[in-house]
Structures are given as structure tokens and as C-alpha cells.
Amino acid sequence: MSEQLPENAGVPGVPDAPVSSGVSEAPAAPEGFATDSPDTWHRVHPVSPLVRGWIAVAAVIFIFGRNSLDSLFSGGWESGGSVTGGTPVVVILIVVGAAVIIFGAAFFLSWRFTRYQVTDENVHINSGIIFRQQRRARIDRVQAIDVIQPLLARAFGLAELKFDVADGGKSAIKLSFLKLAEAKRLRAAILARAAGVALDPDQPMNIQEAPETQVLALAPRRIIGAAFFSTTTVWAVIFIVAAVVAVVWTGEFAIFLGVFPLFIGIFASYWKTITNDLNFRVATSPDGVRLHYGLLETRSQTIPPGRVQAVSISQGPVWRPFGWYRVQVNVAGYGDDTSGSSRSVILPVGTESEVMAVLGLVFPDPGVERPLEVFAAGLHGAGADEGFVHSPRAARWVDPISWRQNAFRATATALLCRRGRFFRSLQVVPHERTQSLGLRQGPLMSRLGLVSFELHSTVGPIRPRVHHLSTANGLALFDEQSARAATARRIQRSEKWLEVKPSLLNQEEAKEQHLGD
């Protein structure tokens, strides 16, 4: 589906410029990638507490200084008075001074007691003043790394480094905040270690960020158009029509005031979608797939190879005339993305050709001779097109609309699950990423000879399933997918995707070897 880059192309680790050590300079290790010695720790940027807590400072000043500020503009300055009586300027100065002193001391202590360390195997972060917290994450379990720049952090040239490990998003490690160049160098160092790159033993600290090649960039007009041509707009139109009908029927114009907060929420939804997805770019590098997006808060997201557990391509009825699709992924460590976060979205709105290009980055081997035709049948096909196995005619009693769209097909490398007629969805799960399998059958489905198949992935927005298969097809799929998953896990290569080994069997040879066993 897309040309796969050579594994040694642009490998990070070429000496360039020495990395700043922060608090103390780590000694050069004799071999491997010894970033820090056990006694070497670094600190985040001194401005970090202010970037994190400026909202709290502003809120305190606003709450306690609002009344005094009102008095100042209403003549309180001319009337004079004692401090306890509320002389506006004096009270404002006291509030601002107290806030600066209290929060300044708290910010300094927060910065003073926060430190981090990167070793050969782990990243350590110690923080907390009264309640101490020690965090540790294994580098070889890192699932994705983000470089995030909130609006205020961008003003100081700072960035937050966030990386996730495979536990459903509960142990995401954050370093807030570092200089942008330092955050990128640290990301390159962690990814190089996770990839198994053999670095220069004489200069193990010299890590160069791997180059990237842009694959596609989304135009702002498409992002804005996709936000307004959405189900949110459909609901907005429905509420407007209902409000107009209610006003005409009752003659009470106050009804518009009652629904006004609803329209504020709709506008906020538009604003969040547009600002999150603007400037969206997709690139590829030896580190993995890189995503860049955001207007006010910018994010540079890196997903290493092999970390994607499942892919979902979806299309609603409003987007169908435009030929637009949305692509999401399950990544161990991201967790459930139902809160509205865009981290699991690797293509917010794209055409079919763009979907195929992005799918080729995270899923380079489709395991089928005619991938474009097969995946096109998965996106908008019906029935048995391109070898898909769909629900039997008996499923019309429980799903009269989309029973021909509910189908599956297994390739040599993944299982494709198709469903939906109005809201279409194609889910792709690599065989080696299968966590567990399940079959569901209620009383009515049992009487009709139907069963629903479920494939359990890591926690995320994608829950692969095939509805209303015949019992025979469901049982066969259950047994066959179990065997395919077991075989794929046995021949899966090392998690260190750039590690060079003296002898490495390719997948076909390994597969033949295991089948022979």
C-alpha cells in the first residue's frame, strides 16, 4: 500500500551536537547508550511552575481583587479610608503581593523538588514537596512520545515531553517543561534506545533527531468544512427548528434564552475541533509515524513502529458526498479516547487515497495481493465483494438495514471487520495484536442461528466486532483467528525495531519453520 523505508534509513544516533546535561553533566559511558549515571539528575526549566500554574494565580487575584477593583472605578480612591475599610489600591497591592509571595514560594519548591533521570533502561521522575512521588517507566515499553507546547509555553520557547507505556494511559510520564530543543533531543534519545540503535560508544550522548519525510498535510478549509459539515451541525439545525416552532406555537420569545447555553456549547465544540486539527501534518521517519497539529496548543506526536494495536476507518452520512473519512488507532498507553482528546486520531478528515497512504504507514504489510480493491470493499462495499463473509439472510430480522454490510475478511497479516450502512466503519487488527476473542449470542439470535464475534484489543476507542454472523461462520472464525494470532505472535520480530542482529529470518522463513514444527 505504500513503500516501506529501509530500516537503516536516517537512523537516529549520528553525532551532531552534544546534549546539554541540565543540572550536572553525565560522564560518557564506555559502551551502549548510558545517558545518565545513577547519581546524575536533571531539573526542568525554572519557569515551568509558572507555565503550569499561572491560571491559579490569575484566579486568586481575580476572586480577591475584583471587589476592590470595582471600588476603585466607582470612586473608592477619592473617598479614601483605612486599609481595613477597603482602600482599593492598597487592598489590590496586598492581594497581588500575597499571591506573588505564596505562589512564588510554592512554585520554587515545586521546581526544586522535581528532577528526572534517563538511564539505559528507564526514565525516572521524582516530584512532590510534602507527598513525594517517584515514577519510573521502562524505555522498551514506551508506546508513543509527544512534544506539547501550550500557548504560554510557546512564548517562553518551552515544551512538555509526554510518553506513554503499555498500561492503558495510567502511567503517562510528563516532563513539564523543557527547552524545545532539549525536549526534541530527549525524545530522540529515548526513541533511539527503545529502537535498539547501537550508538557511537565514544560519544553516546550525541543524539541527532531522525529526519522525517512529509506524507500529507490537510488544508485549513477542509478542517473547517469538516467541523461544520458534521453531526453537530445536524443537531444544531434540529434544535433551531424546534425552538422556532416552540416560539411560534407559544408566542414566548424567552424560549430562545433557554436554549442559548446549548448554542454556546455547540460553538465551543466547533472551536475545539478546529483549533485541535488545524495545521495537521503526517510524516514518516525511522522513529515511526509523526503527527503535527494544533493552533493554540501545538503537539508533535510520535508513534513508533509496531505500537498500533488496531485501526478504524469511519464515515458518517454527512461526509459521504465529500468522500471524507476519519482514521483512529488503538495504542497501548493512550487509554480510552472517549473524552474528546485527539491523540488517537491519525487522520481527522481525509479522502480515500489519503486514508490508504496513512494506513500504509501504520500497517505496511496488508497481506493481500490486491490491497486497494480489498480495502475499498471494506470501506464502501456490500455482500461478498472481494471475499468478505457477511451476515446470512436470517439476520434481516434483527438488522434489516445493514446485514449485508456486516462482514469480515482475514488476510495473511490482519483481520478486517466491516459494519454499518449509514455510519460505515472498517476495523483492521494485526493478527499478532489480538488480545482475546469472544462470541455473543442472545435468545433471539440463538433461535435465528446467529452469533456476534468480538476481538478484544487494548483499551481505546476501537472495539473490533462483527455482528450477526451465522453460527457456523462465527465458530470457524473464532478457531481460525485463534490459530492465526498464535502463529503471528511466535514469528513477531523484536520490539526493538532498528536493532541489528547477526542472523535474522524473514517472516516467511520463520512462518515455514513454525509450521514445520
Side-chain angles (χ1 to χ4, degrees):
M1 296 177 61
S2 67
E3 183 178 357
Q4 188 174 8
L5 294 175
E7 291 186 351
N8 58 352
V11 173
V14 179
D16 183 18
V19 177
S20 175
S21 60
V23 175
S24 59
E25 185 172 353
E31 60 179 303
F33 176 61
T35 307
D36 291 333
S37 66
D39 297 328
T40 303
W41 291 84
H42 310 287
R43 300 194 192 282
V44 296
H45 197 276
V47 184
S48 300
L50 176 62
V51 176
R52 290 197 305 266
W54 70 271
I55 295 180
V57 177
V60 169
I61 294 176
F62 174 78
I63 292 173
F64 291 98
R66 181 180 57 183
N67 294 334
S68 298
L69 193 62
D70 292 340
S71 300
L72 177 63
F73 286 99
S74 61
W77 172 253
E78 290 80 357
S79 61
S82 64
V83 172
T84 57
T87 301
V89 173
V90 176
V91 173
I92 292 174
L93 292 177
I94 292 176
V95 170
V96 173
V100 170
I101 294 174
I102 295 174
F103 282 98
F107 288 167
F108 173 78
L109 293 176
S110 173
W111 171 81
R112 182 67 178 80
F113 284 91
T114 300
R115 57 181 186 168
Y116 69 93
Q117 178 189 73
V118 181
T119 65
D120 272 352
E121 304 295 336
N122 302 289
V123 177
H124 302 264
I125 297 180
N126 293 346
S127 61
I129 302 173
I130 299 177
F131 299 97
R132 301 288 293 161
Q133 185 180 47
Q134 298 182 359
R135 305 286 302 278
R136 182 180 69 175
R138 288 178 54 181
I139 290 179
D140 60 351
R141 291 293 182 264
V142 170
Q143 301 297 310
I145 300 183
D146 299 352
V147 175
I148 308 168
Q149 283 192 286
L151 184 60
L152 186 59
R154 291 168 62 185
F156 289 97
L158 304 180
E160 176 185 79
L161 189 68
K162 178 179 180 180
F163 52 97
D164 303 87
V165 293
D167 69 340
K170 297 181 180 179
S171 294
I173 300 295
K174 295 182 181 180
L175 283 175
S176 305
F177 288 84
L178 307 172
K179 278 291 186 181
L180 179 59
E182 183 67 19
K184 290 183 176 180
R185 283 195 293 265
L186 188 56
R187 175 179 65 178
I190 294 174
L191 287 172
R193 178 57 183 166
V197 175
L199 303 181
D200 185 355
D202 296 327
Q203 294 179 312
M205 293 293 293
N206 290 353
I207 310 299
Q208 181 183 13
E209 187 176 20
E212 66 178 43
T213 302
Q214 182 168 303
V215 176
L216 62 90
L218 300 184
R221 62 179 179 274
R222 188 192 296 179
I223 297 294
I224 298 173
F228 284 99
F229 288 98
S230 62
T231 53
T232 301
T233 302
V234 174
W235 285 110
V237 171
I238 292 174
F239 283 121
I240 290 175
V241 172
V244 171
V245 171
V247 169
V248 172
W249 182 267
T250 62
E252 295 290 339
F253 288 94
I255 293 177
F256 283 118
L257 298 178
V259 299
F260 184 74
L262 177 64
F263 292 108
I264 294 178
I266 292 175
F267 175 79
S269 176
Y270 287 141
W271 175 257
K272 181 179 180 181
T273 300
I274 293 173
T275 55
N276 278 348
D277 295 340
L278 274 178
N279 304 318
F280 194 94
R281 295 182 292 114
V282 181
T284 182
S285 76
D287 288 341
V289 179
R290 291 185 182 173
L291 309 175
H292 306 274
Y293 53 92
L295 178 62
L296 301 180
E297 177 181 283
T298 61
R299 186 185 293 265
S300 177
Q301 185 174 341
T302 304
I303 305 176
R307 296 305 199 259
V308 174
Q309 308 290 318
V311 182
S312 173
I313 308 166
S314 58
Q315 181 191 63
V318 181
W319 282 9
R320 191 160 306 159
F322 305 97
W324 291 339
Y325 297 87
R326 181 181 181 90
V327 183
Q328 291 180 282
V329 294
N330 276 3
V331 173
Y334 277 5
D336 200 341
D337 198 30
T338 56
S339 61
S341 172
S342 58
R343 299 187 67 206
S344 66
V345 178
I346 61 173
L347 186 62
V349 51
T351 62
E352 186 171 333
S353 61
E354 292 169 341
V355 167
M356 296 301 176
V358 171
L359 189 59
L361 299 179
V362 298
F363 188 48
D365 183 10
V368 66
E369 293 182 357
R370 302 167 63 241
L372 295 180
E373 290 78 5
V374 171
F375 280 89
L379 292 177
H380 45 71
D385 295 345
E386 296 296 336
F388 276 85
V389 180
H390 64 88
S391 303
R393 295 179 65 86
R396 292 180 300 172
W397 295 102
V398 291
D399 192 358
I401 296 177
S402 59
W403 65 276
R404 287 176 56 83
Q405 278 73 30
N406 297 332
F408 74 91
R409 171 169 178 174
T411 71
T413 56
L415 180 68
L416 281 59
C417 305
R418 184 185 72 194
R419 66 182 180 186
R421 184 170 183 176
F422 296 114
F423 293 89
R424 297 171 176 172
S425 174
L426 175 65
Q427 299 162 335
V428 184
V429 183
H431 295 319
E432 68 272 13
R433 300 303 176 186
T434 300
Q435 304 294 321
S436 61
L437 305 172
L439 294 174
R440 286 181 176 270
Q441 186 182 61
L444 180 58
M445 291 177 62
S446 177
R447 186 173 183 83
L448 295 173
L450 303 176
V451 66
S452 292
F453 172 83
E454 295 182 351
L455 190 152
H456 304 141
S457 177
T458 55
V459 177
I462 305 171
R463 293 171 174 81
R465 62 190 63 181
V466 185
H467 293 292
H468 309 139
L469 294 173
S470 67
T471 302
N473 287 337
L475 292 174
L477 176 59
F478 185 91
D479 294 336
E480 293 169 0
Q481 186 61 25
S482 299
R484 284 190 289 260
T487 301
R489 284 185 179 277
R490 286 199 300 268
I491 65 176
Q492 183 183 9
R493 63 172 297 176
S494 171
E495 292 287 343
K496 298 180 179 179
W497 61 93
L498 293 180
E499 185 178 33
V500 179
K501 297 184 178 180
S503 176
L504 182 65
L505 295 175
N506 60 38
Q507 288 194 1
E508 292 298 325
E509 293 173 343
K511 184 176 180 179
E512 293 176 0
Q513 177 181 350
H514 284 289
L515 290 178
D517 295 340

